[in-house]
Amino acid sequence: NPVYMANDKIWLETGKYDTVVHPGVVKKAHEFYAKFVPSIRNRLVTDIPAEHAWITDKYGNKCSHLGTPFINNCHYDAAGTFLQWFFDGSLTNRTEAKAGNIYSFSQGDYMPPLVIPSAISMAAKGYVYIPTACKRGVAECHLHVSFHGCKQPAEIIGDDFYAHSGL
């Protein structure tokens, strides 16, 4: 029921030069959501001169590159901008990720009985980053789940997505 979307936040982002998912398709999705979500909660970003990739401010291929690992350095902090908007500007500034705070877990533990992750296009392992203050219990922490894009599983790109996407 679309009524349940009224209080959601929608963030859509497309590179100006995306040749895989044409920017017009993303704009149509934005128009669709606009029927159910007020414009203040429905954000569309279209001004990044990027190809089809996850956009960062410090890591990855050139902004115009199309190819593995599909993470491009466009000198734009897409993850930080999105998360600040999503959490109403309440987050502290991002710090460098500490490798010791990245953990793998079995996604099968969260599947219905008799369902294996590969049956629903998920990898056997997922990854979670837990900031030090959260591990110590001295900070209130949010959980953000991100599904990597096509051709971005750890078996193909290693830690590029979970260690360098900015999430």
Side-chain angles (χ1 to χ4, degrees):
N1 186 337
V3 169
Y4 298 117
M5 294 172 53
N7 292 320
D8 291 345
K9 284 189 169 183
I10 307 295
W11 177 280
L12 297 170
E13 188 173 295
T14 183
K16 272 188 191 180
Y17 307 116
D18 192 326
T19 60
V20 177
V21 178
H22 190 276
V25 172
V26 180
K27 290 175 184 173
K28 287 291 185 189
H30 180 257
E31 291 172 14
F32 170 80
Y33 286 120
K35 295 175 183 179
F36 310 106
V37 178
S39 61
I40 190 122
R41 301 177 71 78
N42 185 7
R43 179 74 51 94
L44 174 64
V45 178
T46 61
D47 60 345
I48 308 303
E51 226 324 336
H52 185 75
W54 185 268
I55 304 307
T56 75
D57 60 344
K58 297 179 184 174
Y59 184 85
N61 296 311
K62 289 179 15 179
C63 197
S64 60
H65 181 77
L66 175 62
T68 193
F70 296 94
I71 299 174
N72 291 1
N73 180 359
C74 298
H75 308 288
Y76 172 72
D77 182 10
T81 303
F82 157 73
L83 290 169
Q84 282 293 358
W85 176 77
F86 190 81
F87 291 108
D88 299 319
S90 65
L91 301 179
T92 58
N93 288 335
R94 178 180 71 189
T95 60
E96 291 301 315
K98 296 177 182 172
N101 289 4
I102 298 173
Y103 300 91
S104 65
F105 62 93
S106 168
Q107 296 196 117
D109 293 348
Y110 303 94
M111 300 289 153
L114 305 176
V115 175
I116 59 172
S118 62
I120 58 170
S121 300
M122 293 183 72
K125 278 200 287 189
Y127 298 88
V128 61
Y129 183 83
I130 304 174
T132 303
C134 299
K135 288 193 310 186
R136 291 184 186 149
V138 296
E140 180 180 325
C141 299
H142 301 280
L143 175 66
H144 172 78
V145 177
S146 180
F147 296 101
H148 62 73
C150 299
K151 300 183 183 181
Q152 285 186 315
E155 297 81 14
I156 295 175
I157 68 168
D159 72 352
D160 283 351
F161 186 79
Y162 63 80
H164 301 291
S165 66
L167 295 171

